């Protein structure tokens, strides 16, 4: 591939090969179909040297002239003129092609099979549209990325007449290719499923069969070296393996998906209304931040409910529409009520996926879990800021004040990195907290935008008025009374005080009153948020019969827990009534009685706003926690361990296969873990919070025979299966360490032995159980014979597998006492040979996977081997496998015909 430079007359001359450092000027790319059926076209096929004998020369002239007309000095002809024998150059070309299309200022698609020669002046597209839909360009494999990667794709007929671009012809292209219009509009391709993206290649062809796979690399954002002659099947297998690794990295990286958080926030706040945020794009402080290279940080601050989050959502949407392909736009929404997204490490994760793959492939999920996670993420983050492929980098962090862990560390990091490059810009939002302002140290490179300043407050007030108009449409009881609508609108505008949250809370209350009560209720509602919350609490206390107590149980549980609760989880943890045909409906009804403190989305219960949680935790604490918060933690712990002890059993999802991979697990309906997930993950946290905040507690729960000891002895292995199904093994490891420390501080030696052994068990077998939930039972085979957990759950060892661990009863463990380099059965399948020496062990011969990690049976994963059991050499014969490890030991495993 070569980059060409236009001369002043619209001609061209060859400049240089495509460089590796991306240091090239803006350029155009020509994509087209060939007269022959081959993708093997070289630069020399364009011209014989005189420049006039071949039709390809006209295409070069067209591209040069069009590029010059569009103000571009360079263009790239999409053709292969590299040394096919040079594997490194070939690999770089194939893996870089998507990037070069993405970075191009324009892509010209020349369609020699679409003619406009007979088109009359001012005629519509119908004369050439039929040929456009049938163009060979839409059938070539490589043109898929040429359509999706560039921001600007323009189509030209055989006569060089512009037919339109990817935007104006979007519906026609969608009809031809089946590619969703969202993808054609520039939505990140990662937002589409793997199967969807693979389907876009259907009905396309390439000269070399492997190119059907190689042309998809950029679309999936992965890298593999081309190996022609490997065939489509092997190439596809390698592609799918890289996609799997990328998905694993993404899954491990995101505790929650910021895109989902953004959608949830917008929905719970009544939708993102353009009139409520468009004023920011005329704001002086914002324009200074956006346009001045020296302004790299904008801090938007304001009181609760002033619309900071929705303002940021609007900025994200608008910048995403206008940003170039080489722009990284990353955002994060802190939420103090959710322990998964209220810490500094979680804030950095979403921006790092493209730079984490190499380290993640080597280290795995542990990359995000050990004590060095913050340091690693900071290093990778710095690499992103120095990435030459990116023109601009935007980082948005909402609600910094809700980052309850390591906020100071995060602020110091932001201050340091915001000074590195003018390409990197930050927007932060928070309440008016002096400690944040002090640590941000805003100077010439930063700006603050206070929503309380007079000129900004006026804009916010107008935005709130527009929000009121929008939300009033939800009040069905006033839709047919124009006079009442006007009265309600005016009253709300008078009392809203520029606060979106006030409007949202009041609208929710007005939905439940009759038309003749609306004005009266509006008169009664205070203007200050705190007063609104007080009124909501008083209304709850006025409920009849036991409803106030049920509301208290719900509010105290929601405030005390570490993440939003599913309705079934809330029912269990708050000990709500379970009568009636539908527990979720009953629980939802009680949630709705809690005023406007709570909101429901997809059956999960959220506190409506951080200010509401602050009110419930502080000013209303005596009403919500009459016996103190520690009692609520005790109740949550007790109910959790009770319901787990009652419900846990082996193979709750009926997976059956010991090696069934967790990524393929689908939740059954009904889900036996639906009401237990929170309890599985957090029961130890609430136990620790109860005991740590209580000077007097019943020590009987911790001693031998107490509820904790009984749970560990009877349900521990089933709990490991459950937290694997909940994809929370890492949290399980942390929880067991907390439990061990708690028992140690309490000096209860009788329980310490089983807890300590349980902690060792999860540490040692974490990766196996994390990958396949039922390996919790296979792991028993690899545990020491003196292990307490193994002894307690001996009855759960897989039947039908004889794994020799030195007992000498079934299969022998050989010790060669030196490194093994070879292991085999003799020619008669009677004796085992190690390092060419015959051993007096005879057995009939299962399989080992290619990575040496799994023992398989009938090509299905069976037992995941701990690291010290993994082979330096191995041999299989029939149903017996012999594994030689580096220290000279040989392990023998026999798999019988019946495995349970």
């Amino acid at each position: 591939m070569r980059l060409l430079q236009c001369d002043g007359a619209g001609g061209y001359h060859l400049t240089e090969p495509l460089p590796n450092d991306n240091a090239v000027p803006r350029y155009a790319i020509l994509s087209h179909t060939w007269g022959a059926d081959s993708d093997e076209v070289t630069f020399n096929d364009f011209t014989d040297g005189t420049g006039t004998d071949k039709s390809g020369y006209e295409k070069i002239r067209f591209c040069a002239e069009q590029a010059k007309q569009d103000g571009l000095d360079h263009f790239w002809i999409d053709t292969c003129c590299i040394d096919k024998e040079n594997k490194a150059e070939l690999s770089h070309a194939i893996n870089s092609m998507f990037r070069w299309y993405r970075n191009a200022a324009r892509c010209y698609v020349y369609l020699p099979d679409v003619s406009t020669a007979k088109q009359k002046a001012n005629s519509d597209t119908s004369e050439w549209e039929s040929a456009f839909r049938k163009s060979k360009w839409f059938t070539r494999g490589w043109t898929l990325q040429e359509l999706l990667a560039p921001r600007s794709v323009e189509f030209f007929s055989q006569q060089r007449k512009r037919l339109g671009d990817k935007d104006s012809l979007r519906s026609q292209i969608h009809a031809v290719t089946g590619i969703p219009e969202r993808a054609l509009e520039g939505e990140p391709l990662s937002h589409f499923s793997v199967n969807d993206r693979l389907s876009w290649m259907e009905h396309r062809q390439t000269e070399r069969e492997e190119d059907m796979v190689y042309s998809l690399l950029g679309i999936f954002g992965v890298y593999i070296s081309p190996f022609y002659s490997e065939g489509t099947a092997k190439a596809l297998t390698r592609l799918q393996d890289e996609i799997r690794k990328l998905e694993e990295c993404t899954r491990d990286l995101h505790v929650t998906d910021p895109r989902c958080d953004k959608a949830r926030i917008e929905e719970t706040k009544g939708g993102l209304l353009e009139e409520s945020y468009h004023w920011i794009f005329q704001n002086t402080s914002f324009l200074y931040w956006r346009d001045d290279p020296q302004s790299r940080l904008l801090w938007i601050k304001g009181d609760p409910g002033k619309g900071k989050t929705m303002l940021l959502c609007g900025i994200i949407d608008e910048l995403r529409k206008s940003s170039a392909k080489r722009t990284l736009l990353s955002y994060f929404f802190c939420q103090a009520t959710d322990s998964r997204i209220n810490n500094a490490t979680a804030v950095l994760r979403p921006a790092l996926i493209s730079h984490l793959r190499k380290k993640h492939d080597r280290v795995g999920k542990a990359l995000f879990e050990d004590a060095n996670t913050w340091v690693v993420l900071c290093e990778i983050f710095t690499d992103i800021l120095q990435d030459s492929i990116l023109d601009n980098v935007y980082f948005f962090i909402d609600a910094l004040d809700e980052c309850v862990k390591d906020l100071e560390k995060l602020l110091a990091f932001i201050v340091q990195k915001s000074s590195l490059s003018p390409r990197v810009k930050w927007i932060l939002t928070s309440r008016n907290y002096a400690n944040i302002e002090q640590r941000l140290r805003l100077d010439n490179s930063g700006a603050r935008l206070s929503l309380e300043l007079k000129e900004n407050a006026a804009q916010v007030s107008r935005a709130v008025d527009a929000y009121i108009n929008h939300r009033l449409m939800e009040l069905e009881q006033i839709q047919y009374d124009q006079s009442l609508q006007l009265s309600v609108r005016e009253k709300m505008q008078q009392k809203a005080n520029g606060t979106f949250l006030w409007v949202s809370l009041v609208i929710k209350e007005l939905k439940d009153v009759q038309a003749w009560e609306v004005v009266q209720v509006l008169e009664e509602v205070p203007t200050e948020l705190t007063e609104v919350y007080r009124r909501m609490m008083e209304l709850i206390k006025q409920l009849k019969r036991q409803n106030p107590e049920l509301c208290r149980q719900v509010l105290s549980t929601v405030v005390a827990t570490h993440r939003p609760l599913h309705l079934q989880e809330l029912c269990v943890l708050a000990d709500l009534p379970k009568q009636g045909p539908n527990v979720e409906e009953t629980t939802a009804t009680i949630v709705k009685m809690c005023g406007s403190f709570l909101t429901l989305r997809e059956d999960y219960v959220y506190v409506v706003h951080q200010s509401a949680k602050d009110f419930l935790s502080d000013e209303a604490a005596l009403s919500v926690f009459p016996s103190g918060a520690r009692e609520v933690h005790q109740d949550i712990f007790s109910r959790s361990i009770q319901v787990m002890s009652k419900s846990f059993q082996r193979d709750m999802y009926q997976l059956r296969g010991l090696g069934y991979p967790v990524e393929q697990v689908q939740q059954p309906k009904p889900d036996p873990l639906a009401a237990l997930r929170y309890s599985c993950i957090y029961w130890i946290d609430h136990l620790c919070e109860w005991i740590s905040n209580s000077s007097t507690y019943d020590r009987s729960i911790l001693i031998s025979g107490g509820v904790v000891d009984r749970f560990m002895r009877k349900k521990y292995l089933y709990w490991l299966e459950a937290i694997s199904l909940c994809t929370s093994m890492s949290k399980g490891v942390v929880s067991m360490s907390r439990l061990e420390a708690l028992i140690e501080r309490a000096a209860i030696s009788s329980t310490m032995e089983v807890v300590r052994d349980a902690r060792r068990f999860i540490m040692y077998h974490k990766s196996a159980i994390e990958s396949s939930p039922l390996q919790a039972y296979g792991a028993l085979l690899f545990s020491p014979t003196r292990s307490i957990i193994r002894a307690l759950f001996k009855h759960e060892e897989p039947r039908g597998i004889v794994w020799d661990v030195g007992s000498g009863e079934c299969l022998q463990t050989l010790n060669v006492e030196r490194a093994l380099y070879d292991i085999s059965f003799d020619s008669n399948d009677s004796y085992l040979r190690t390092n060419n020496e015959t051993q007096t062990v005879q057995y009939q011969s299962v399989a080992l996977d290619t990575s040496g990690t799994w023992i398989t049976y009938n090509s299905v994963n069976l037992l995941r081997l701990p690291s010290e059991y993994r082979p330096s050499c191995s041999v299989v014969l029939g149903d017996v496998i012999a594994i030689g490890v580096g220290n000279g030991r040989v392990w023998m495993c026999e798999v019988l015909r019946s495995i349970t």
Side-chain angles (χ1 to χ4, degrees):
M1 291 178 282
R2 295 291 186 271
L3 195 70
L4 294 93
Q5 187 166 13
C6 311
D7 60 30
Y12 71 92
H13 64 271
L14 192 64
T15 58
E16 57 182 337
L18 293 182
N20 294 328
D21 61 2
N22 307 300
V24 296
R26 295 173 69 244
Y27 56 89
I29 288 181
L30 175 65
S31 173
H32 55 118
T33 55
W34 304 102
D37 290 332
S38 174
D39 286 338
E40 296 297 310
V41 184
T42 68
F43 182 80
N44 291 331
D45 289 321
F46 282 113
T47 174
D48 60 4
T50 64
T52 57
D53 290 345
K54 296 199 174 184
S55 60
Y57 177 72
E58 288 303 314
K59 298 174 184 177
I60 293 183
R61 284 182 59 87
F62 155 70
C63 191
E65 292 169 2
Q66 190 65 45
K68 197 68 179 177
Q69 180 178 326
D70 290 331
L72 302 172
D73 294 327
H74 293 76
F75 63 98
W76 170 28
I77 300 295
D78 175 17
T79 176
C80 293
C81 53
I82 62 174
D83 181 2
K84 296 297 192 299
E85 300 303 318
N86 187 329
K87 294 183 179 180
E89 187 176 352
L90 179 65
S91 178
H92 171 70
I94 288 177
N95 283 280
S96 300
M97 195 174 297
F98 187 91
R99 173 166 53 86
W100 274 82
Y101 270 95
R102 182 189 62 191
N103 294 343
R106 293 174 182 268
C107 175
Y108 306 135
V109 178
Y110 179 78
L111 303 176
D113 53 359
V114 178
S115 175
T116 52
K118 297 181 180 180
Q119 185 175 359
K120 299 178 182 179
N122 300 322
S123 66
D124 59 26
T125 63
S126 59
E127 295 188 29
W128 56 262
E129 188 171 319
S130 177
F132 177 80
R133 291 173 178 265
K134 298 176 183 177
S135 175
K136 184 181 177 182
W137 191 85
F138 291 111
T139 68
R140 295 182 65 236
W142 285 106
T143 59
L144 177 60
Q145 66 175 0
E146 296 163 18
L147 173 64
L148 294 172
R151 184 172 187 81
S152 170
V153 181
E154 300 175 79
F155 295 89
F156 294 84
S157 71
Q158 184 185 66
Q159 290 77 24
R160 302 189 186 181
K161 181 175 181 61
R162 189 179 186 278
L163 304 175
D165 58 26
K166 186 164 60 170
D167 289 332
S168 64
L169 298 173
R170 185 168 59 248
S171 60
Q172 292 94 327
I173 297 171
H174 166 69
V176 175
T177 64
I179 297 172
E181 294 190 22
R182 293 182 295 118
L184 298 173
E185 292 169 347
E187 183 169 336
L189 299 182
S190 59
H191 292 190
F192 300 89
S193 72
V194 171
N195 288 336
D196 283 345
R197 284 176 278 176
L198 286 173
S199 72
W200 301 342
M201 184 56 77
E202 293 179 4
H203 312 301
R204 292 176 178 265
Q205 300 175 348
T206 56
E207 178 69 14
R208 293 185 174 188
E209 59 174 304
E210 295 88 355
D211 282 338
M212 288 290 288
V213 176
Y214 301 158
S215 58
L216 288 168
L217 299 182
I219 289 170
F220 285 101
V222 298
Y223 179 104
I224 63 173
S225 297
F227 180 59
Y228 288 105
S229 79
E230 69 174 323
T232 305
K234 288 186 178 180
L236 183 59
T237 298
R238 291 200 294 137
L239 172 65
Q240 290 172 330
D241 187 54
E242 289 301 309
I243 294 172
R244 177 186 58 77
K245 291 178 181 177
L246 179 62
E247 288 180 329
E248 287 178 358
C249 184
T250 304
R251 185 173 59 249
D252 293 344
L253 177 66
H254 291 307
V255 181
T256 66
D257 188 337
R259 293 174 300 178
C260 297
D261 292 336
K262 180 175 180 289
R264 170 182 56 80
I265 289 168
E266 291 176 3
E267 182 177 320
T268 55
K269 293 179 182 290
L272 182 59
L273 184 66
E274 184 177 351
E275 289 86 345
S276 68
Y277 68 81
H278 69 87
W279 65 268
I280 192 71
F281 299 103
Q282 283 76 48
N283 181 269
T284 305
S285 297
F286 177 83
L287 294 175
Y288 171 63
W289 168 85
R290 187 191 67 183
D291 300 332
D292 193 319
Q294 299 305 314
S295 180
R296 301 166 194 170
L297 191 153
L298 176 63
W299 176 39
I300 301 176
K301 61 174 184 171
D303 291 335
K306 291 296 184 180
K308 300 182 292 296
T309 298
M310 298 301 272
L311 193 62
L312 193 63
C313 288
I315 294 172
I316 290 169
D317 286 353
E318 293 300 322
L319 284 181
R320 189 158 46 195
K321 291 176 187 176
S322 60
S323 296
K325 288 282 184 178
R326 293 195 295 180
T327 293
L328 171 65
L329 194 155
S330 179
Y331 51 89
F332 190 87
F333 298 90
C334 295
Q335 191 169 336
T337 54
D338 192 334
S339 62
R340 299 167 298 177
I341 52 176
N342 67 0
N343 58 86
T345 301
V347 170
L348 291 191
R349 285 184 169 188
L352 308 181
I353 185 65
S354 62
H355 289 68
L356 278 172
R357 272 293 310 282
K358 289 183 180 179
K359 288 190 177 183
H360 184 272
D361 290 350
R362 186 174 66 253
V363 180
K365 192 174 182 179
L367 177 65
F368 307 120
E369 295 170 351
D370 64 18
N372 297 320
T373 298
W374 173 259
V375 175
V376 172
L377 294 182
C378 288
E379 290 175 354
I380 298 172
F381 201 96
T382 302
D383 290 341
I384 292 178
L385 303 186
Q386 298 170 347
D387 190 344
S388 58
I389 196 174
L390 296 171
D391 284 338
N392 295 295
V393 182
Y394 294 106
F395 294 116
F396 302 144
I397 304 173
D398 180 57
L400 265 176
D401 50 294
E402 297 189 40
C403 178
V404 299
K405 182 179 179 182
D406 295 328
L407 175 59
E408 292 185 3
K409 186 162 60 175
L410 177 61
L411 290 172
F413 176 82
I414 292 171
V415 170
Q416 179 190 23
K417 300 308 176 185
S418 63
S419 63
L420 282 182
S421 169
R423 296 184 301 118
V424 183
K425 289 179 177 286
W426 303 72
I427 293 184
L428 316 172
T429 75
S430 78
R431 299 193 213 181
N432 293 299
Y433 284 3
N435 65 317
I436 292 179
E437 183 163 15
Q438 179 183 2
R439 294 189 179 278
L440 285 177
R441 299 201 304 269
L442 297 173
D443 50 25
N444 293 333
S445 64
R448 62 178 58 79
L449 193 162
S450 173
L451 298 181
E452 276 74 44
L453 284 180
K454 184 176 180 180
E455 60 271 21
N456 296 331
Q459 294 284 3
V460 172
S461 181
R462 283 190 284 271
V464 170
D465 288 348
Y467 183 64
I468 291 171
N469 292 335
H470 174 69
R471 295 298 303 272
L472 281 179
M473 292 187 292
E474 300 175 26
L475 300 180
E476 298 179 1
Q477 67 270 48
I478 68 171
Q479 294 307 307
Y480 301 102
D481 189 331
Q482 296 296 323
S483 175
L484 181 57
Q485 282 188 49
L486 179 62
S487 176
V488 171
R489 180 181 295 108
E490 290 178 347
K491 180 60 66 175
M492 291 191 73
Q493 289 174 349
Q494 291 172 11
K495 302 185 71 172
N497 196 26
T499 306
F500 290 90
L501 179 57
W502 185 92
V503 176
S504 181
L505 294 173
V506 171
I507 289 290
K508 188 174 181 180
E509 182 174 346
L510 292 178
K511 285 182 179 181
D512 297 327
V513 303
Q514 300 300 318
W516 63 84
E517 298 176 293
V518 170
V519 174
Q520 179 185 344
V521 170
L522 261 180
E523 291 286 355
E524 295 173 355
V525 175
T527 58
E528 296 296 325
L529 272 181
T530 302
E531 294 299 325
V532 173
Y533 292 145
R534 289 183 185 136
R535 181 174 183 273
M536 287 160 53
M537 284 299 299
E538 289 302 317
L539 291 175
I540 291 173
K541 292 176 182 179
Q542 295 171 17
L543 294 172
K544 297 179 181 179
R545 294 189 295 276
Q546 63 173 338
N547 290 339
E549 177 58 20
L550 290 177
C551 290
R552 188 203 65 76
Q553 291 171 216
V554 167
L555 291 173
S556 63
T557 301
V558 169
V559 171
T561 46
H562 297 283
R563 66 154 170 80
L565 297 175
H566 189 275
L567 286 170
Q568 292 192 43
E569 295 172 329
L570 179 60
C571 180
V572 168
L573 299 176
D575 194 25
L576 301 180
K578 301 174 180 63
Q579 293 82 8
N582 193 318
V583 170
E584 291 184 14
E585 286 186 7
T586 302
T587 305
T589 300
I590 299 172
V591 168
K592 291 173 182 176
M593 289 190 292
C594 296
S596 298
F597 286 113
L598 306 178
T599 184
L600 268 171
R601 183 176 186 268
E602 297 179 355
D603 293 332
Y604 276 85
V605 182
Y606 298 85
V607 179
V608 70
H609 194 269
Q610 181 60 33
S611 61
K613 182 182 180 182
D614 293 342
F615 175 83
L616 294 171
S617 302
D618 299 330
E619 182 168 328
L622 288 177
S623 298
V624 178
F625 306 103
S627 301
R630 66 176 180 273
E631 184 176 275
V632 178
H633 290 299
Q634 177 187 1
D635 290 341
I636 293 174
F637 156 71
S638 300
R639 291 162 188 160
S640 292
I641 208 163
Q642 181 180 15
V643 72
M644 289 189 297
S645 297
K646 180 180 178 180
S647 305
F648 279 176
Q649 60 184 6
R650 178 169 174 159
D651 198 6
M652 285 173 283
Y653 277 13
Q654 299 295 301
L655 304 179
R656 294 183 174 85
L658 284 177
Y660 198 97
V662 71
E663 62 268 16
Q664 294 181 21
V665 171
Q666 295 184 349
Q667 294 177 10
K669 293 183 180 180
D671 181 1
L673 287 178
L676 309 178
R677 289 180 180 274
Y678 183 89
S679 298
C680 290
I681 300 168
Y682 293 102
W683 70 273
I684 293 176
D685 294 87
H686 288 285
L687 171 63
C688 294
E689 289 174 67
W690 165 38
I691 292 178
S692 298
N693 293 301
S694 177
S695 56
T696 58
Y697 65 91
D698 187 358
R699 287 173 58 87
S700 66
I701 66 164
L702 299 180
I703 64 174
S704 180
V707 293
V708 173
D709 182 70
R710 289 201 307 270
F711 181 81
M712 300 302 294
R713 292 176 180 273
K714 294 182 178 297
K715 297 294 181 177
Y716 179 67
L717 220 59
Y718 313 132
W719 176 66
L720 293 184
E721 176 194 330
I723 59 172
S724 177
L725 291 170
C726 295
T727 62
S728 297
M729 280 298 295
S730 299
K731 182 63 172 65
V733 171
V734 174
S735 294
M736 283 307 302
S737 297
R738 289 194 71 186
L739 180 59
E740 182 182 28
L742 177 69
I743 300 294
E744 193 171 53
R745 286 195 303 271
I748 302 176
S749 57
S750 58
T751 309
M752 176 56 74
E753 290 184 4
V754 66
V755 170
R756 183 171 291 158
D757 191 69
R759 199 263 304 168
R760 289 171 181 159
F761 190 93
I762 191 174
M763 290 285 290
Y764 185 68
H765 298 296
K766 171 182 175 290
S767 58
I769 303 172
E770 186 172 47
S771 66
S772 300
L774 298 188
Q775 285 298 300
Y777 311 102
L780 292 168
L781 298 173
F782 301 106
S783 297
T785 54
R786 291 175 295 178
S787 165
I788 296 175
I789 295 300
R790 181 173 185 179
L792 289 170
F793 293 93
K794 182 73 176 175
H795 61 286
E796 292 292 7
E797 285 188 8
R799 293 191 294 264
I801 301 175
V802 182
W803 178 260
D804 179 48
V805 291
S807 64
E809 296 175 0
C810 300
L811 299 179
Q812 291 181 339
T813 299
L814 305 178
N815 197 339
V816 182
E817 297 183 348
R818 62 180 182 274
L820 277 167
Y821 60 83
D822 182 54
I823 183 171
S824 63
F825 285 95
D826 74 348
S827 58
N828 295 320
D829 296 338
S830 300
Y831 296 96
L832 188 72
R833 296 180 61 84
T834 59
N835 295 354
N836 293 321
E837 296 177 6
T838 300
Q839 306 289 335
T840 57
V841 180
Q842 48 183 324
Y843 292 106
Q844 288 295 307
S845 172
V846 209
L848 200 64
D849 75 340
T850 55
S851 67
T853 302
W854 285 90
I855 293 176
T856 65
Y857 189 72
N858 290 338
S859 300
V860 176
N861 288 346
L862 184 62
L863 287 179
R864 195 174 194 273
L865 297 174
S867 56
E868 66 267 33
Y869 288 81
R870 294 179 187 170
S872 59
C873 50
S874 63
V875 64
V876 223
L877 189 61
D879 292 333
V880 173
I881 183 168
I883 298 172
V885 294
N887 63 7
R889 277 199 153 191
V890 179
W891 302 97
M892 304 285 287
C893 177
E894 181 180 11
V895 180
L896 305 181
R897 298 298 178 182
S898 176
I899 305 171
T900 56

